[in-house]
Amino acid sequence: MLRIGEGYDVHTLVDGRPLRLACVEVPAGRGSLGHSDGDAAAHAVCDAILGAMALGDMGAHFPSSEQRWKDADSSVFLREVAAMLAGRGGRLVNLDLTVVLEEPRLSPHLQAMREALAAALGCDLGAVSVKAKSSDGVGPVGRGDAVEARAVVLVEVAPD
Ligand code: MG
């Protein structure tokens, strides 16, 4: 049976933090604040896959109150969520991710992001789409104070 999932995340951008998006470190003036590495793109993908399985969200599985997730590389979360999907006899059909960031331009990094996500999720590169948008100067993302990510996935799982 096919199931759809949606994920959304936003992180504050601050000086002195690296900017990691979809498991790729992007050279930038500011980076994302977070308990883990603050990878909004990876977190949106995790929430989308969890949502497709009706298994809650990242906060339920990887609470920020737990010290072991402090500064965690978010590829760990992607691998865990992919293992949950596989454990239910499921597979990712496709993933479509949009990252909204005012600067820098992400186009030079999109292919690396696709490859990193496919590697962490254990799926074909052709199943992974990553797009980038700016916020056209509007709102906190437009002011460069935040990064936002939205993801949609389709998964195939065994019938209950
Ligand atoms: Mg997050």
Side-chain angles (χ1 to χ4, degrees):
M1 132 171 74
L2 291 171
R3 297 176 63 111
I4 194 169
E6 184 243 20
Y8 169 80
D9 199 18
V10 60
H11 279 256
T12 302
L13 295 176
V14 294
D15 294 335
R17 288 273 298 188
L19 179 61
R20 277 183 66 87
L21 290 168
C23 306
V24 171
E25 187 155 339
V26 174
R30 312 178 88 190
S32 42
L33 196 59
H35 182 69
S36 65
D37 62 2
D39 187 336
H43 298 177
V45 171
C46 287
D47 267 354
I49 296 171
L50 289 169
M53 295 187 287
L55 285 179
D57 62 15
M58 280 194 74
H61 295 274
F62 315 106
S64 57
S65 55
E66 287 190 15
Q67 193 59 28
R68 63 180 166 146
W69 306 125
K70 178 92 179 93
D71 297 324
D73 181 329
S74 289
S75 66
V76 171
F77 305 134
L78 288 162
R79 289 177 202 282
E80 287 273 332
V81 167
M84 287 181 213
L85 179 61
R88 292 162 64 101
R91 71 178 185 94
L92 182 72
V93 176
N94 76 300
L95 151 66
D96 191 16
L97 168 71
T98 301
V99 182
V100 194
L101 180 71
E102 205 62 15
E103 60 178 23
R105 290 181 61 82
L106 293 176
S107 48
H109 307 287
L110 297 181
Q111 184 64 13
M113 291 179 185
R114 291 181 67 210
E115 290 170 3
L117 289 172
L121 295 169
C123 68
D124 292 339
L125 186 61
V128 179
S129 160
V130 183
K131 310 196 296 294
K133 302 279 287 181
S134 87
S135 190
D136 209 17
V138 175
V141 174
R143 288 194 298 273
D145 291 333
V147 57
E148 193 175 285
R150 300 164 184 270
V152 177
V153 300
L154 197 67
V155 303
E156 187 169 30
V157 294
D160 289 331

